Amino acid sequence: MEEKVGIYFYKNILGQNKYIATTCTRSGQGIDMMFSHSVKKFNKKAPKLNLGTYLLIDGEVFKI
């Protein structure tokens, strides 16, 4: 499987993308982990007043 890169970000009140972290994986299980264990940690880093936390993988955006 090709290496997949994920970018975590949130949208602030002004609608701007604010990047939190990046990650990469080469397996299907790694992609599952992108959506699961780290979400709580990233939500703690993002301010409470935001428009959601997101994950960008290969041009597709997922709300987490």
Side-chain angles (χ1 to χ4, degrees):
M1 180 178 178
E2 288 183 21
E3 185 172 351
K4 301 283 185 186
V5 176
I7 302 172
Y8 297 91
F9 66 96
Y10 67 92
K11 289 186 178 283
N12 66 10
I13 298 298
L14 303 176
Q16 300 168 319
N17 293 344
K18 298 294 181 178
Y19 296 96
I20 304 171
T22 59
T23 187
C24 62
T25 185
R26 290 179 183 245
S27 69
Q29 290 177 336
I31 292 174
D32 289 342
M33 288 178 63
M34 285 184 185
F35 289 102
S36 61
H37 70 84
S38 54
V39 176
K40 290 180 183 176
K41 293 178 186 175
F42 292 140
N43 283 340
K44 288 180 182 177
K45 290 181 182 179
K48 292 182 180 179
L49 298 175
N50 65 67
L51 302 177
T53 307
Y54 302 89
L55 173 60
L56 174 70
I57 302 176
D58 290 343
E60 290 192 42
V61 177
F62 303 92
K63 186 166 183 173
I64 53 175

